[in-house]
Amino acid sequence: MKKDELQIDQRELVEAWQRTLPITMNESDSADVIADGADPKALRVHIRTAGHQAYSFDFKVEYVDSREVRVELVDVEKDGRSVDERTDQIQQLIQDYTRHLHECAQALQQLTHA
């Protein structure tokens, strides 16, 4: 086992993310965090934008080591249908949410970095 590998139980990690992510995100947006069933070092994050836009974003957040996460966009939907994520507006939202996810991981370093 690498010295800097993630040492925390996935269930604890999910609970910590559920507590912390709303603090790092826009107050009006909402998010769900669940364990990635296929990868014990990864989480699935579903973010819903506030207001009339009705966008939702699915991300995979994978711990590369105890401090660093890799954030991968899985899907973007509007009103429950997949949309083209290459538009400027959606790209901006993806960048914002990716930053929020990294901020959440950073805020949890005292928990994840053994």
Side-chain angles (χ1 to χ4, degrees):
M1 180 182 287
K2 287 190 321 210
K3 186 176 194 287
D4 202 24
E5 205 167 288
L6 188 65
Q7 305 276 328
I8 186 173
D9 175 68
Q10 192 180 33
R11 186 178 42 75
E12 282 181 66
L13 191 60
V14 167
E15 289 170 6
W17 271 77
Q18 286 172 335
R19 281 190 312 271
T20 309
L21 187 56
I23 298 165
T24 66
M25 284 184 26
N26 301 326
E27 206 173 283
S28 52
D29 295 338
S30 62
D32 298 315
V33 180
I34 60 170
D36 184 315
D39 184 350
K41 291 186 182 77
L43 307 169
R44 297 290 177 153
V45 180
H46 180 78
I47 299 174
R48 288 171 302 285
T49 59
H52 62 277
Q53 296 171 334
Y55 286 118
S56 65
F57 296 81
D58 291 310
F59 292 93
K60 178 179 181 180
V61 178
E62 180 183 9
Y63 274 83
V64 178
D65 59 32
S66 69
R67 287 178 282 216
E68 186 185 346
V69 293
R70 179 182 310 122
V71 176
E72 177 186 331
L73 177 70
V74 177
D75 190 30
V76 180
E77 293 183 349
K78 181 179 172 103
D79 297 322
R81 287 193 293 269
S82 287
V83 294
D84 180 1
E85 66 252 11
R86 293 171 296 195
T87 67
D88 287 344
Q89 180 188 18
I90 293 177
Q91 282 298 310
Q92 185 65 52
L93 288 167
I94 291 168
Q95 286 177 354
D96 287 348
Y97 291 130
T98 299
R99 190 182 73 247
H100 294 312
L101 294 168
H102 280 285
E103 287 171 4
C104 183
Q106 211 169 11
L108 291 171
Q109 278 187 4
Q110 78 279 4
L111 184 67
T112 59
H113 185 60

